[in-house]
Amino acid sequence: MAKRNRPGKPPAPSATASVQPVRSAWLARGRGLAPWLGVFVLLALLYPGPMFEGTVYGSADASAADAFRQVGDASRHQGEYPFWNPYLFVGMPTFGSLAYTLGVYPPTYLFEFLHTRLGLPPLTWLFGHLLLGGVGVWWLLGRWRLPWSARLLGCVGWLWFARVVAWGVHGHGSKLAAAMALPWLVGLAWEVLVRGRVRSAGLLALVLGLQFLRGHVQISYYTLLLLGALTLWNLLWPLGDGARPAWRERVRRLGLMSLAVVLGLAVGSVLLMPVHEYAALSTRGESGASGGGGSPFDYATQWSLAPEDLAAMVIPAAAGFGKATYAGRMPFTDYPNYLGLLLPALAAAAWLTRRRSLVAALAVVSVLAIVLAMGRFSPGLYQAAYAVLPYFSKFRVPSMVLVLPALLVAVLAAFGAHALSGLDDAAAGRLRRVAVALLGLGAVLTLAGATGAVAGAYRDHLAALAARSGKPSVPELLDAAWSLHRALLVRQGLVLLAAGGALVFAAGRASFRRVGLMPVLCVLVAIDLGSVARLVTQPERALIDVVRTADGGARLAPAARLEHRWRPDQRVQLPADLARDLAGIVGHDRVLPLGDDAGNNAFMTAGIRSLGGYHAAKPAAAEAIRQRLFNGVPQGRVARWLGAAAITYPGTLGPDALALLADRGLTLRPEGQPASGRMIYRLADPLPRARLVSAWRPAVPAPEDGLEPFLDAVADGRHDPAELVVLDAAPSPAPESGPEPLPRPEFIDDGLDRVVLRARTPRPALLLLADQAAPGWRVSVDGEPSRLLVADHMLRAVALPAGDHEVRFEYRDPAFARGIRLACGGLLVSLVLIAWPWIRRRGAVPSASVGE
């Protein structure tokens, strides 16, 4: 019977990959402060200002998130957790949409304490997660006893990946924090699959649950895909180094892994269940924006990795680089998903190790993820996943899955560098072959950049790409793109030449090969990835943008600086005069912001309800309305139906513009009110957000009577929402018509989770509140529960008898309480698994010792 190697123990030295002697146990084992110091240095090199000077990054996404945070924090300070945000669109859940989930992710309290109480920098949360993610890679590579230099190389490949850097810089904190759990989850999965450890299964469940609670479901979904792929691979071709375990043991580990995933889902259910419930209302849910299952395919694949963006993974400016010079087909993108050439070359060298199953698994998953990231450009894989995999169609941005190969390639590169440095003299010729390839590539890139031999071809390529993408390609832009591309080509070529030279030197000197090669390769990878990562953190150094001139033209200018000083009072807010004037005009109704303010969330910080704003997971009905209000001339009757009382516009509207808006049903008073560079125009005939209606008709359950046909009828003037309401059920009591007009209801309380109205009606009528209807909303009339009706396919209404009534709408997320109970159960079972070895030892105590 063959002797099985102990799991985690490196294989014996061979002609392909010998193991180096440990020269520094403290560094090699990665214990104590070694991993923390190493990762801290990497972060300090890339983020010196935010770490040591307290600067922060400013971006549109960060500003939008800050507006949500202000509203939620203010509500919590008043003693009420905000489960509903009424200020954006026509209302949306805060928990189910992940707009505000403060309190469910425990590390938030730690990072807030470090910042507010101990005075650490405001981006402590960012560096805390990056630090944990980097130490996670160090710990993961420690499962295979790799030396400190290999682990540091893996940390560089992971933390300096351009997409990870961009997430932190551009305010995508939930993505970054969720991604930083990946190395820990892969390592714990390896412990379960290869060693069969019950305790590791419990830890895996807890870490997975924490990742879910961080609130980025798409990253968590890709994590589950990765764990599932590794589990199935281990069932067929075990990932361990020793003898293959029996099928019975493989199935046991499969069951243990499945239990850990189920428990992780349970721990995260306090967030996942509200998200799942909200999915039926959102653009990514069951109905979607177009009525299909999940996000429509074109919408889901907007951020597909096109072939030119695939090339940019190894040549950073292959599709341009920067706001002005990027000519690719991904929207709102100005950085590449750059891995370089050296890191993948080292990853390919991982095949020289004896861990063939593990290396093959990581390589295959990486390739599949890259193909999946191509979305609409992939050869059928994304389409198959979209059609077959459960919940896959709920997500967009296929390129986000590149976070998986970023981690796996970094791990493989650490294996490859270790394998190259461990080759014995007899196999050192392989180093020369790898060196020749790197030297050849390096020479080609350096000469291409230094001589400008490919300048014309590059300009032609970028111009053709810009034409396909619908972007400008004026000579000034092409020249700027070539200038940056040229510098990056030369730098990348020099890195490859240096790497090839180091391999040639190592082939003839065993001492350098074993001691110095990996640190040199680590430094070269850092130079390669760092040159691109620094363009993301400091775009003003080399990137350009197009800015408007005073005469309405445009010119090229250095990209805006993202890093700026932080002030304690620095928050997203409306200018004071605009907030004051709008609040006085709009009151409890809504504003329709046009121009640059269409996607501005700052209105909510002043307590003003807006028909505009931005959120990635908006309600599907809100997306249908947004298309009618902000694409072209706004359909004013739709805005009026939803309670718009005024518009804001960055300029004065002339008679022709006012006439055009009036033709669309948006009749404005011609005298505007200036405020902070904008003009406020009142509607001449606003329709109140809360109103009494005396006529109704039932909604016919047919496609021709859905939301879109209803919006068409409102926009065309064929349906008057002031006189007639469409209901999902017959009201009781039924409204009655009469000669006298119905009075306007009065707001008593108009909060986040509660709206209280006083309605005085001389006859039975319908009270319509032009706010989004959703599961969890209840209504009571004079303290007695009443039936909540869905009006006009998406709004709230209730039937009232004649008289003076107090009507109370209240929201309680129905999935939240269920999620809490399930999370407590999952946490308890996970803790039992973690304590299982101790429980077994206690249970194994001989009975004779009990009496003693």
PDB file of all heavy atoms in Angstrom, residues 12-33:
ATOM      1  N   ALA A  12       8.257  15.721  -2.119  1.00  0.00           N
ATOM      2  CA  ALA A  12       9.703  15.581  -2.046  1.00  0.00           C
ATOM      3  C   ALA A  12      10.368  16.249  -3.229  1.00  0.00           C
ATOM      4  O   ALA A  12       9.775  16.399  -4.289  1.00  0.00           O
ATOM      5  CB  ALA A  12      10.060  14.090  -2.020  1.00  0.00           C
ATOM      6  N   PRO A  13      11.634  16.690  -3.063  1.00  0.00           N
ATOM      7  CA  PRO A  13      12.339  17.343  -4.167  1.00  0.00           C
ATOM      8  C   PRO A  13      12.427  16.427  -5.376  1.00  0.00           C
ATOM      9  O   PRO A  13      12.571  15.221  -5.264  1.00  0.00           O
ATOM     10  CB  PRO A  13      13.712  17.641  -3.569  1.00  0.00           C
ATOM     11  CG  PRO A  13      13.495  17.672  -2.093  1.00  0.00           C
ATOM     12  CD  PRO A  13      12.425  16.675  -1.823  1.00  0.00           C
ATOM     13  N   SER A  14      12.316  17.040  -6.539  1.00  0.00           N
ATOM     14  CA  SER A  14      12.400  16.275  -7.770  1.00  0.00           C
ATOM     15  C   SER A  14      13.076  17.119  -8.820  1.00  0.00           C
ATOM     16  O   SER A  14      13.431  18.259  -8.612  1.00  0.00           O
ATOM     17  CB  SER A  14      10.994  15.866  -8.245  1.00  0.00           C
ATOM     18  OG  SER A  14      10.308  16.972  -8.704  1.00  0.00           O
ATOM     19  N   ALA A  15      13.194  16.539  -9.985  1.00  0.00           N
ATOM     20  CA  ALA A  15      13.817  17.262 -11.089  1.00  0.00           C
ATOM     21  C   ALA A  15      12.925  18.370 -11.608  1.00  0.00           C
ATOM     22  O   ALA A  15      13.371  19.232 -12.322  1.00  0.00           O
ATOM     23  CB  ALA A  15      14.127  16.288 -12.230  1.00  0.00           C
ATOM     24  N   THR A  16      11.655  18.315 -11.259  1.00  0.00           N
ATOM     25  CA  THR A  16      10.751  19.362 -11.765  1.00  0.00           C
ATOM     26  C   THR A  16      10.505  20.460 -10.769  1.00  0.00           C
ATOM     27  O   THR A  16      10.330  21.601 -11.137  1.00  0.00           O
ATOM     28  CB  THR A  16       9.408  18.737 -12.171  1.00  0.00           C
ATOM     29  OG1 THR A  16       8.855  18.056 -11.044  1.00  0.00           O
ATOM     30  CG2 THR A  16       9.581  17.767 -13.311  1.00  0.00           C
ATOM     31  N   ALA A  17      10.427  20.148  -9.501  1.00  0.00           N
ATOM     32  CA  ALA A  17      10.125  21.195  -8.520  1.00  0.00           C
ATOM     33  C   ALA A  17      10.616  20.776  -7.152  1.00  0.00           C
ATOM     34  O   ALA A  17       9.936  20.088  -6.422  1.00  0.00           O
ATOM     35  CB  ALA A  17       8.637  21.459  -8.483  1.00  0.00           C
ATOM     36  N   SER A  18      11.814  21.139  -6.817  1.00  0.00           N
ATOM     37  CA  SER A  18      12.332  20.849  -5.488  1.00  0.00           C
ATOM     38  C   SER A  18      11.930  21.935  -4.522  1.00  0.00           C
ATOM     39  O   SER A  18      11.679  23.058  -4.899  1.00  0.00           O
ATOM     40  CB  SER A  18      13.864  20.755  -5.537  1.00  0.00           C
ATOM     41  OG  SER A  18      14.404  21.987  -5.924  1.00  0.00           O
ATOM     42  N   VAL A  19      11.843  21.589  -3.258  1.00  0.00           N
ATOM     43  CA  VAL A  19      11.431  22.535  -2.233  1.00  0.00           C
ATOM     44  C   VAL A  19      12.658  23.141  -1.592  1.00  0.00           C
ATOM     45  O   VAL A  19      13.600  22.450  -1.227  1.00  0.00           O
ATOM     46  CB  VAL A  19      10.558  21.821  -1.172  1.00  0.00           C
ATOM     47  CG1 VAL A  19      10.176  22.794  -0.074  1.00  0.00           C
ATOM     48  CG2 VAL A  19       9.325  21.236  -1.812  1.00  0.00           C
ATOM     49  N   GLN A  20      12.638  24.438  -1.426  1.00  0.00           N
ATOM     50  CA  GLN A  20      13.778  25.141  -0.882  1.00  0.00           C
ATOM     51  C   GLN A  20      13.909  24.884   0.604  1.00  0.00           C
ATOM     52  O   GLN A  20      12.915  24.683   1.292  1.00  0.00           O
ATOM     53  CB  GLN A  20      13.617  26.644  -1.086  1.00  0.00           C
ATOM     54  CG  GLN A  20      13.296  27.040  -2.499  1.00  0.00           C
ATOM     55  CD  GLN A  20      12.926  28.496  -2.547  1.00  0.00           C
ATOM     56  OE1 GLN A  20      13.355  29.268  -1.723  1.00  0.00           O
ATOM     57  NE2 GLN A  20      12.126  28.855  -3.511  1.00  0.00           N
ATOM     58  N   PRO A  21      15.092  24.926   1.151  1.00  0.00           N
ATOM     59  CA  PRO A  21      15.240  24.871   2.594  1.00  0.00           C
ATOM     60  C   PRO A  21      14.701  26.141   3.219  1.00  0.00           C
ATOM     61  O   PRO A  21      14.781  27.220   2.650  1.00  0.00           O
ATOM     62  CB  PRO A  21      16.754  24.765   2.783  1.00  0.00           C
ATOM     63  CG  PRO A  21      17.336  25.356   1.554  1.00  0.00           C
ATOM     64  CD  PRO A  21      16.382  25.018   0.451  1.00  0.00           C
ATOM     65  N   VAL A  22      14.095  26.016   4.372  1.00  0.00           N
ATOM     66  CA  VAL A  22      13.548  27.166   5.066  1.00  0.00           C
ATOM     67  C   VAL A  22      14.675  27.950   5.712  1.00  0.00           C
ATOM     68  O   VAL A  22      15.375  27.456   6.578  1.00  0.00           O
ATOM     69  CB  VAL A  22      12.521  26.699   6.132  1.00  0.00           C
ATOM     70  CG1 VAL A  22      12.016  27.897   6.923  1.00  0.00           C
ATOM     71  CG2 VAL A  22      11.368  25.970   5.484  1.00  0.00           C
ATOM     72  N   ARG A  23      14.864  29.193   5.300  1.00  0.00           N
ATOM     73  CA  ARG A  23      15.948  30.021   5.818  1.00  0.00           C
ATOM     74  C   ARG A  23      15.458  30.967   6.902  1.00  0.00           C
ATOM     75  O   ARG A  23      16.250  31.444   7.691  1.00  0.00           O
ATOM     76  CB  ARG A  23      16.590  30.812   4.677  1.00  0.00           C
ATOM     77  CG  ARG A  23      17.166  29.893   3.594  1.00  0.00           C
ATOM     78  CD  ARG A  23      17.904  30.678   2.531  1.00  0.00           C
ATOM     79  NE  ARG A  23      18.407  29.781   1.513  1.00  0.00           N
ATOM     80  CZ  ARG A  23      19.552  29.108   1.596  1.00  0.00           C
ATOM     81  NH1 ARG A  23      20.291  29.220   2.669  1.00  0.00           N
ATOM     82  NH2 ARG A  23      19.933  28.301   0.629  1.00  0.00           N
ATOM     83  N   SER A  24      14.175  31.289   6.895  1.00  0.00           N
ATOM     84  CA  SER A  24      13.625  32.138   7.943  1.00  0.00           C
ATOM     85  C   SER A  24      12.275  31.568   8.332  1.00  0.00           C
ATOM     86  O   SER A  24      11.293  31.732   7.628  1.00  0.00           O
ATOM     87  CB  SER A  24      13.456  33.581   7.452  1.00  0.00           C
ATOM     88  OG  SER A  24      12.751  34.331   8.409  1.00  0.00           O
ATOM     89  N   ALA A  25      12.233  30.833   9.442  1.00  0.00           N
ATOM     90  CA  ALA A  25      11.004  30.169   9.847  1.00  0.00           C
ATOM     91  C   ALA A  25       9.884  31.175  10.070  1.00  0.00           C
ATOM     92  O   ALA A  25       8.726  30.939   9.746  1.00  0.00           O
ATOM     93  CB  ALA A  25      11.246  29.355  11.121  1.00  0.00           C
ATOM     94  N   TRP A  26      10.219  32.342  10.620  1.00  0.00           N
ATOM     95  CA  TRP A  26       9.211  33.362  10.910  1.00  0.00           C
ATOM     96  C   TRP A  26       8.519  33.832   9.636  1.00  0.00           C
ATOM     97  O   TRP A  26       7.304  33.937   9.566  1.00  0.00           O
ATOM     98  CB  TRP A  26       9.891  34.537  11.621  1.00  0.00           C
ATOM     99  CG  TRP A  26       8.955  35.628  12.011  1.00  0.00           C
ATOM    100  CD1 TRP A  26       7.964  35.570  12.930  1.00  0.00           C
ATOM    101  CD2 TRP A  26       8.939  36.958  11.483  1.00  0.00           C
ATOM    102  NE1 TRP A  26       7.321  36.789  13.034  1.00  0.00           N
ATOM    103  CE2 TRP A  26       7.898  37.662  12.155  1.00  0.00           C
ATOM    104  CE3 TRP A  26       9.695  37.653  10.528  1.00  0.00           C
ATOM    105  CZ2 TRP A  26       7.611  38.977  11.901  1.00  0.00           C
ATOM    106  CZ3 TRP A  26       9.396  38.976  10.273  1.00  0.00           C
ATOM    107  CH2 TRP A  26       8.375  39.615  10.951  1.00  0.00           C
ATOM    108  N   LEU A  27       9.336  34.087   8.590  1.00  0.00           N
ATOM    109  CA  LEU A  27       8.762  34.523   7.333  1.00  0.00           C
ATOM    110  C   LEU A  27       8.118  33.370   6.578  1.00  0.00           C
ATOM    111  O   LEU A  27       7.023  33.498   6.040  1.00  0.00           O
ATOM    112  CB  LEU A  27       9.841  35.179   6.460  1.00  0.00           C
ATOM    113  CG  LEU A  27      10.248  36.606   6.824  1.00  0.00           C
ATOM    114  CD1 LEU A  27      11.416  37.019   5.968  1.00  0.00           C
ATOM    115  CD2 LEU A  27       9.096  37.560   6.631  1.00  0.00           C
ATOM    116  N   ALA A  28       8.818  32.227   6.541  1.00  0.00           N
ATOM    117  CA  ALA A  28       8.347  31.117   5.718  1.00  0.00           C
ATOM    118  C   ALA A  28       7.021  30.576   6.214  1.00  0.00           C
ATOM    119  O   ALA A  28       6.143  30.238   5.436  1.00  0.00           O
ATOM    120  CB  ALA A  28       9.392  30.002   5.696  1.00  0.00           C
ATOM    121  N   ARG A  29       6.846  30.506   7.540  1.00  0.00           N
ATOM    122  CA  ARG A  29       5.589  29.993   8.061  1.00  0.00           C
ATOM    123  C   ARG A  29       4.474  31.029   8.007  1.00  0.00           C
ATOM    124  O   ARG A  29       3.303  30.703   8.152  1.00  0.00           O
ATOM    125  CB  ARG A  29       5.798  29.531   9.504  1.00  0.00           C
ATOM    126  CG  ARG A  29       6.744  28.326   9.616  1.00  0.00           C
ATOM    127  CD  ARG A  29       7.047  28.043  11.074  1.00  0.00           C
ATOM    128  NE  ARG A  29       8.044  26.995  11.199  1.00  0.00           N
ATOM    129  CZ  ARG A  29       8.656  26.691  12.341  1.00  0.00           C
ATOM    130  NH1 ARG A  29       8.394  27.373  13.437  1.00  0.00           N
ATOM    131  NH2 ARG A  29       9.545  25.722  12.375  1.00  0.00           N
ATOM    132  N   GLY A  30       4.852  32.279   7.820  1.00  0.00           N
ATOM    133  CA  GLY A  30       3.827  33.315   7.735  1.00  0.00           C
ATOM    134  C   GLY A  30       3.131  33.562   9.049  1.00  0.00           C
ATOM    135  O   GLY A  30       1.955  33.914   9.086  1.00  0.00           O
ATOM    136  N   ARG A  31       3.823  33.347  10.141  1.00  0.00           N
ATOM    137  CA  ARG A  31       3.199  33.530  11.440  1.00  0.00           C
ATOM    138  C   ARG A  31       3.514  34.910  12.003  1.00  0.00           C
ATOM    139  O   ARG A  31       4.358  35.623  11.503  1.00  0.00           O
ATOM    140  CB  ARG A  31       3.679  32.439  12.400  1.00  0.00           C
ATOM    141  CG  ARG A  31       3.222  31.031  11.997  1.00  0.00           C
ATOM    142  CD  ARG A  31       3.791  29.987  12.927  1.00  0.00           C
ATOM    143  NE  ARG A  31       3.349  28.649  12.528  1.00  0.00           N
ATOM    144  CZ  ARG A  31       3.782  27.531  13.099  1.00  0.00           C
ATOM    145  NH1 ARG A  31       4.657  27.589  14.080  1.00  0.00           N
ATOM    146  NH2 ARG A  31       3.333  26.360  12.677  1.00  0.00           N
ATOM    147  N   GLY A  32       2.822  35.224  13.085  1.00  0.00           N
ATOM    148  CA  GLY A  32       3.092  36.487  13.748  1.00  0.00           C
ATOM    149  C   GLY A  32       2.707  37.673  12.882  1.00  0.00           C
ATOM    150  O   GLY A  32       1.652  37.703  12.249  1.00  0.00           O
ATOM    151  N   LEU A  33       3.597  38.653  12.825  1.00  0.00           N
ATOM    152  CA  LEU A  33       3.313  39.897  12.122  1.00  0.00           C
ATOM    153  C   LEU A  33       3.752  39.873  10.659  1.00  0.00           C
ATOM    154  O   LEU A  33       3.492  40.836   9.940  1.00  0.00           O
ATOM    155  CB  LEU A  33       4.016  41.059  12.835  1.00  0.00           C
ATOM    156  CG  LEU A  33       3.527  41.372  14.252  1.00  0.00           C
ATOM    157  CD1 LEU A  33       4.372  42.487  14.854  1.00  0.00           C
ATOM    158  CD2 LEU A  33       2.062  41.762  14.247  1.00  0.00           C
TER     159      LEU A  33
END
